[in-house]
Amino acid sequence: MKRLNILLFAAASLFMLFAFIKAQPSGNVEGTDVGNIAPELKFKDPQGNIRDLNSLRGYVVLVDFWASWCGPCRGENPNVVATYKKYKDAQFKGAKGFKIFSVSLDRDAAAWTDAIKHDGLIWPDHVSDLKFWQSAAAATYGVTSIPTNFLLDSKGVIIAKGLRGEALGSELSSLVGGR
């Protein structure tokens, strides 16, 4: 009888284990760690149009958090612009090219748009809810300091983050033609 109880317990345990494994999500889960699917962002651009991060699937995308009032951000912008110009039409394995989705933590629309023009941020995907550190995008991504960024593959999976200076270009270079 004791042996039968042990076998029944083992069978029930295996059944529960398989049920638990089957209930787990397949593929990647949404989050902000490398390997996670990047959370969706939908915010207004300077003209009031909604820009949608998920609409950039198919491209390698840099989600770049910055603000006009942030000195280190403004100092990093020339590197981001040069990297964009170099890689926007690059041939990546499984991706159509490179895009930047800029998320501003500004609260003043004029300062934001002036900084976009002054720094030559020539890509079209600029968004902000103009809520400063109360930005919903910053909360979604756990952003507590800027500049900060997340590099996504063509499926929206985070493949790197915190790439500044030469690190951004190096990472993109390693993706050209596949990795």
Side-chain angles (χ1 to χ4, degrees), residues 66-158:
W66 75 291
S68 66
W69 48 263
C70 169
C73 301
R74 301 295 295 274
E76 182 68 13
N77 278 345
N79 177 61
V80 177
V81 170
T83 301
Y84 175 74
K85 287 178 179 178
K86 182 174 181 177
Y87 290 100
K88 67 184 174 85
D89 297 318
Q91 297 298 309
F92 297 96
K93 183 178 180 185
K96 301 175 203 171
F98 175 60
K99 301 271 186 179
I100 298 177
F101 193 85
S102 290
V103 182
S104 171
L105 301 189
D106 274 286
R107 58 179 152 199
D108 180 300
W112 174 37
T113 56
D114 288 348
I116 291 169
K117 289 176 190 155
H118 182 269
D119 292 3
L121 309 182
I122 57 176
W123 48 90
D125 295 298
H126 295 275
V127 300
S128 183
D129 58 9
L130 297 173
K131 293 184 179 177
F132 195 51
W133 284 109
Q134 288 70 46
S135 162
T140 298
Y141 275 72
V143 172
T144 58
S145 66
I146 52 176
T148 196
N149 59 47
F150 299 81
L151 188 64
L152 316 181
D153 71 10
S154 63
K155 295 176 183 159
V157 175
I158 298 171

Side-chain angles (χ1 to χ4, degrees), residues 4-5 10 30 54 59-60 62 75 106 126 128 154:
L4 179 61
N5 285 341
E30 187 175 281
N54 283 349
Y59 292 89
V60 173
L62 182 72
D106 274 286
H126 295 275
S128 183
S154 63

